Amino acid sequence: MTYETITVEHRDAVTLITLNRPKALNALNSQVLEDLVSAFAAYEADAGQRCAVLTGSGDKAFAAGADIKEMADKPAADFYNEDFFSRWTSHLVKTTRKPWIAAVNGFALGGGCELAMMADFIIASENAKFGQPEVKLGVAPGMGGSQRLTRAVGKAKAMEMCLTGRMMGAEEAERSGLVARVVPHDTLLDEALKTATAIAAMPPMATVANKEMVNAAFETTLDQGLVMERRIFQILTATEDKAEGMAAFIEKREGQWKGR
Ligand code: CAA
C-alpha cells in the first residue's frame, strides 16, 4: 500500500511509519489523518507486526501541528460537523491495542505534540522541542494537549506552556515525565527501532494486556484499576505463553510465543 503523506516500512515485526511532508514541517492535514488511520488499521490487523514506531521525515520536525493553511479559512460549522480532531484519538489510541512509540526528531508542536502524546511512550532526540502554541493563533489545543500534557507534566508546566506557547526542550521533557528517554539526534531512529524490536519479541497477549493496564490508570479510580489489574493478571495465568514463559525461565532458554 502506498500513501500520499506518510511512508510505511516493515522491519521484521516492527512497522515504521514516517510523516512525510517535510516542506510543511510534517503539518497534519486531513490527508495525513486518512493515511495514518489506514496505516494504523493495517498495523493492528497484521498479526506478524508487533510494535510500531511513528517519526517525522527531515531533520527539523516530528510535526509542527495541525495544518494552519488548511484550517485558516475553514468555517466553525465544518470543524464541528466533521469532528475532525476526535478521529485522531479514536483511531490511533482507542482502536490501536498493540504498542507504538513516537520517535520525536524535532518540533512537536500543537497537534504534533498531541500526536506524540497519543503514543504509548515517546523517545526524543536531543533536538526535540514540545509545545502547545495554539493560543498564539487565537485557538487552543484540539487533539488532547490540554488533557494529556497536564497529566504528563502536571498543571504548572502545562498551564504555562498553553498560556505562553513556550516550547519545552528534550532534557526538560524527560525531567518532567513527558518523554521516556532522550537520545543523541543521529541515533534516534536506531534507538526507537531497537526498543520496538525488544517489545515485538515479548509475548503478544501479555504486551497488549500491559498496555491496557497502564492506560487504565488514567481512566479509573485506584481501587477499580487494581481490580482490573488483578483480573487481567489472573486471565494471563491461563495462557500458553505464561506456561512457556515460566518454563523457559526455569530451563534457562528463550521463550517461544504463541500469542494465546
Ligand atoms: N501548518 C502549516 N504549515 C506549516 C506549519 C503548520 N502547523 N508549521 C510550519 N509550516 C510550514 C511553513 O508555513 C513553511 O512553509 P512555506 O515554506 O511554504 O512558507 C514551512 O512549514 C517551514 O516553516 P517555517 O518557515 O515557519 O520554519 P521556521 O524554522 O522558521 O519555524 C516553527 C519553525 C517554529 C515550527 C514554525 O514553523 C511554527 O511556528 N509553526 C507553527 C507551529 C504551530 O503554531 N502549531 C500549532 C498549529 S494549531 C494546532 O495544532 C491545533 C491543534 O491543537 C490540533
Side-chain angles (χ1 to χ4, degrees):
M1 173 101 185
T2 53
Y3 299 93
E4 221 176 283
T5 63
I6 62 173
T7 61
V8 178
E9 296 162 58
H10 289 169
R11 308 272 180 102
D12 296 319
V14 173
T15 300
L16 172 62
I17 304 173
T18 306
L19 300 165
N20 194 24
R21 301 184 72 213
K23 286 192 185 132
L25 301 187
N26 301 318
L28 308 169
N29 64 13
S30 320
Q31 190 58 49
V32 177
L33 173 63
E34 292 313 321
D35 288 349
L36 283 179
V37 165
S38 153
F40 272 80
Y43 161 58
E44 186 68 13
D46 185 342
Q49 294 299 294
R50 301 273 180 79
C51 191
V53 172
L54 176 67
T55 193
S57 62
D59 241 15
K60 219 168 146 181
F62 173 75
D67 192 313
I68 299 168
K69 291 166 189 166
E70 188 180 71
M71 292 189 294
D73 297 324
K74 198 173 165 121
D78 288 2
F79 281 101
Y80 185 79
N81 291 329
E82 290 166 14
D83 209 12
F84 175 70
F85 293 148
S86 80
R87 295 186 63 219
W88 293 86
T89 288
S90 60
H91 290 273
L92 273 57
V93 181
K94 297 207 166 140
T95 60
T96 303
R97 297 178 72 209
K98 295 199 285 193
W100 64 280
I101 302 167
V104 174
N105 51 311
F107 291 114
L109 302 178
C113 184
E114 294 168 306
L115 174 59
M117 291 189 293
M118 288 178 202
D120 296 316
F121 60 91
I122 298 171
I123 299 179
S125 129
E126 59 204 357
N127 295 354
K129 284 196 176 358
F130 299 87
Q132 298 292 160
E134 291 91 338
V135 68
K136 295 183 188 170
L137 301 169
V139 286
M143 281 162 55
S146 64
Q147 305 303 302
R148 292 197 178 98
L149 186 65
T150 307
R151 280 166 168 77
V153 306
K155 178 181 168 183
K157 280 183 187 288
M159 190 67 92
E160 187 206 11
M161 287 169 74
C162 288
L163 292 183
T164 66
R166 172 176 86 81
M167 292 186 214
M168 182 187 264
E171 194 203 315
E172 185 184 0
E174 184 181 22
R175 211 182 331 122
S176 310
L178 179 58
V179 313
R181 200 144 49 87
V182 178
V183 298
H185 187 67
D186 293 343
T187 69
L188 174 67
L189 199 54
D190 281 350
E191 288 293 336
L193 288 170
K194 212 189 295 171
T195 306
T197 301
I199 293 171
M202 298 293 167
M205 203 172 154
T207 304
V208 171
N210 273 273
K211 169 171 171 166
E212 197 175 356
M213 281 182 186
V214 175
N215 281 335
F218 291 95
E219 308 287 349
T220 61
T221 64
L222 179 59
D223 254 359
Q224 290 166 333
L226 291 171
V227 170
M228 181 205 168
E229 181 191 82
R230 281 200 304 279
R231 294 292 171 260
I232 294 182
F233 176 88
Q234 288 154 358
I235 289 166
L236 289 173
T237 62
T239 62
E240 291 179 36
D241 282 350
K242 174 261 180 185
E244 167 66 5
M246 295 200 179
F249 174 80
I250 292 163
E251 292 159 19
K252 299 188 190 298
R253 59 173 176 82
E254 293 295 315
Q256 301 298 317
W257 313 122
K258 292 191 174 153
R260 51 193 309 113

